[in-house]
Amino acid sequence: MSLDIKTLVDKYDTPLYVYDFNNIAKRYQELKGAFDGKKSLVAYAVKSNSNLAVIKHLAKLGAGADCVSIGEVKRALKAGIAKYKIIFSGVGKRDSEIREALQKDILLLNLESEAEMKRVEMIAKELGIEARISIRVNPNVDPQTHPYISTGLHENKFGVSIDSAKRMYIYAKKSEHLNPIGIHFHIGSQLTELSPIVEACEIVADLVRSLKAIDIDIKFFDVGGGLGVVYDNEITIKTHEYADAIIKAIKGLDVTVVMEPGRYMMANSGIFLTRVLYEKQNGDKRFVIVDGAMNDLLRPSLYSAYHKIEAVQKDGEKTPADVVGPVCESGDFLGKDVPLPPLEHNDILVVHSAGAYGFTMSSNYNTRNRVAEVAVLDGKDYLIRKRESFDDQIKLEEVCDTSWL
Ligand code: LLP
């Protein structure tokens, strides 16, 4: 991102998320372009970064949305994503969420259990409609990624086995209130190997063929998200190889390929800026204490995820330091053994690859205000979320009457 970081920090303060909207568009177009000439829908995984401006930007480019709560569905609609491009997934949808999603007439409800299918059928019956559904299949393929973001094995809570999926499709086909038109899988996130994706595609494509033989016509073949990105020195899957492999696996099927990328579009379209508060040495250990913390960017603490960290316009011999935040947890760090030059109060650090699962996983832990978000498009910067204030944080508590205390 060619940005004047000092100017942004002077204007918006720290901690701060900054997103490169040109890069988001580039990534979207690259993926969509790889499927050129084929029926495809890139349904952006809203959970990776749900800022309305981000979704609106993608909506204008033609993207759909993959949502996992009615809140995300509402965000997608509000940002201008066409309802026929919105998918609602997730293992635990509440009745009210199912009802609202059906009323909003979105493309598909993605079902993850037989019990959920019965609920959807009942609610669709109450509403007097037919619910368009897809079923999330768990192909029992090892995606070779971090166990916390691995989802395609039977030991994970997601989806149903091929056999139950088949039973569910047969049931749905007979139901007056269910219309099974899609199939879905998502084996994990930050995938850097193509072979597990191909394996899953082949298993699921075979199921689609066997469903066709019994007159169940699947129109949407949803391969989920999961495309990995470079955080450090990973070798990632090339989009054209990804597309070619999927197209090959579904040969002979007349389906629209749906993808649900989040990280692919957002991770390296975002940085997190934080300010040095102090340096300190505990014995041999060097700490750089910054104003950003685990509540702002949880990935390092939660997954020991690596994010490259660099000092802005600072020279000097680099020595390893742990970059830590002010939160009262030993697990509050943004980086360990980061090679950094000597730093002073108010120096700025850039935490790279922070555009996906950064702000969306942030919290108010330690009554810290959620940070501001800024978009940069064609060299111009725009505030897309205000920094939270203390009043914002407490306003839902202030409405309570506490005279009983
Ligand atoms: N579709 C489904 C059904 C998913 O569960 C996910 C992510 C995606 C799509 C998008 O995956 P992506 O393309 O972004 O890899 N918080 C973790 C990632 C959790 C991913 C959960 N599911 C992290 O920070 O690494």
Side-chain angles (χ1 to χ4, degrees):
M1 214 182 301
S2 58
L3 294 174
D4 185 349
I5 287 171
K6 293 256 179 203
T7 310
L8 288 174
V9 164
D10 286 345
K11 189 163 167 188
Y12 300 106
D13 206 355
T14 56
L16 183 72
Y17 277 103
V18 182
Y19 308 122
D20 178 346
F21 272 38
N22 293 96
N23 196 58
I24 298 172
K26 190 172 144 225
R27 299 287 278 184
Y28 170 81
Q29 275 146 357
E30 197 179 304
L31 186 58
K32 182 72 183 156
F35 286 84
D36 213 16
K38 300 281 167 201
K39 288 186 284 185
S40 70
L41 172 66
V42 176
Y44 168 60
V46 172
K47 65 171 90 65
S48 64
N49 187 318
S50 53
N51 186 289
L52 284 173
V54 168
I55 310 173
K56 189 167 183 178
H57 182 45
L58 285 161
K60 286 196 157 179
L61 294 165
D66 162 49
C67 304
V68 287
S69 69
I70 198 68
E72 286 191 354
V73 171
K74 286 182 185 167
R75 274 186 185 268
L77 287 168
K78 195 173 171 69
I81 299 218
K83 64 180 183 181
Y84 61 85
K85 291 185 182 173
I86 297 178
I87 298 164
F88 184 13
S89 308
V91 284
K93 304 179 193 77
R94 292 168 52 87
D95 287 4
S96 59
E97 292 186 295
I98 295 170
R99 188 169 299 111
E100 209 173 331
L102 290 177
Q103 283 166 333
K104 292 195 184 310
D105 195 27
I106 60 171
L107 176 64
L108 281 171
L109 258 77
N110 213 341
L111 308 184
E112 302 221 15
S113 65
E114 219 156 321
E116 186 191 9
M117 180 176 69
K118 301 279 172 65
R119 294 301 306 167
V120 171
E121 184 186 35
M122 224 181 77
I123 296 167
K125 190 174 174 188
E126 266 167 40
L127 296 172
I129 58 167
E130 196 182 58
R132 286 181 298 276
I133 59 155
S134 64
I135 293 170
R136 178 166 179 177
V137 178
N138 184 330
N140 200 25
V141 168
D142 183 355
Q144 298 157 31
T145 187
H146 191 292
Y148 279 20
I149 48 178
S150 160
T151 48
L153 283 168
H154 283 165
E155 66 197 55
N156 303 122
K157 69 177 174 182
F158 300 99
V160 297
S161 68
I162 299 282
D163 286 347
S164 342
K166 212 165 174 173
R167 277 198 305 276
M168 285 169 71
Y169 278 112
I170 292 168
Y171 179 95
K173 169 82 177 167
K174 287 192 190 133
S175 165
E176 271 177 50
H177 297 285
L178 298 171
N179 184 8
I181 57 165
I183 197 154
H184 173 244
F185 65 90
H186 169 86
I187 57 172
S189 201
Q190 183 54 12
L191 307 178
T192 50
E193 294 291 330
L194 189 55
S195 54
I197 304 176
V198 174
E199 197 186 331
C201 267
E202 283 168 352
I203 294 170
V204 178
D206 278 348
L207 175 59
V208 173
R209 289 187 191 98
S210 69
L211 292 172
K212 202 168 171 57
I214 51 172
D215 210 25
I216 297 170
D217 197 14
I218 299 298
K219 295 189 169 62
F220 295 92
F221 190 91
D222 185 342
V223 299
L227 271 175
V229 302
V230 178
Y231 284 100
D232 190 3
N233 51 18
E234 298 85 344
I235 297 170
T236 54
I237 300 166
K238 296 192 178 50
T239 41
H240 67 271
E241 285 173 7
Y242 178 70
D244 291 350
I246 294 170
I247 292 164
K248 189 168 162 218
I250 59 169
K251 209 163 179 235
L253 297 175
D254 180 23
V255 289
T256 298
V257 176
V258 181
M259 289 150 273
E260 304 173 347
R263 191 189 316 265
Y264 167 83
M265 244 112 67
M266 291 309 300
N268 283 313
S269 301
I271 53 174
F272 178 65
L273 300 177
T274 183
R275 178 187 304 268
V276 173
L277 299 175
Y278 320 104
E279 278 238 27
K280 99 176 190 183
Q281 195 81 23
N282 277 356
D284 284 344
K285 188 94 194 162
R286 177 184 173 204
F287 288 101
V288 172
I289 302 161
V290 295
D291 65 353
M294 66 186 288
N295 74 296
D296 306 313
L297 178 62
L298 184 60
R299 303 192 72 256
S301 305
L302 190 60
Y303 313 114
S304 303
Y306 170 82
H307 286 260
K308 183 173 168 192
I309 302 180
E310 286 176 317
V312 178
Q313 294 170 14
K314 204 69 194 174
D315 298 323
E317 196 197 335
K318 291 181 180 166
T319 58
D322 283 9
V323 177
V324 300
V327 163
C328 298
E329 301 262 357
S330 297
D332 176 25
F333 64 91
L334 298 176
K336 294 223 159 158
D337 292 324
V338 184
L340 288 169
L343 295 164
E344 291 164 298
H345 192 70
N346 280 339
D347 279 341
I348 302 299
L349 299 185
V350 182
V351 182
H352 290 273
S353 319
Y357 306 106
F359 187 90
T360 46
M361 289 174 71
S362 67
S363 77
N364 289 123
Y365 188 39
N366 282 203
T367 306
R368 287 168 52 83
N369 295 324
R370 256 179 268 237
V371 309
E373 294 176 287
V374 167
V376 177
L377 179 67
D378 298 335
K380 286 205 187 108
D381 51 274
Y382 306 88
L383 182 66
I384 56 171
R385 183 175 162 117
K386 267 174 34 183
R387 188 174 298 285
E388 229 171 25
S389 67
F390 173 69
D391 288 342
D392 291 331
Q393 279 202 59
I394 61 163
K395 69 171 178 272
L396 296 177
E397 293 159 55
E398 273 182 336
V399 297
C400 309
D401 166 17
T402 46
S403 56
W404 48 275
L405 279 173

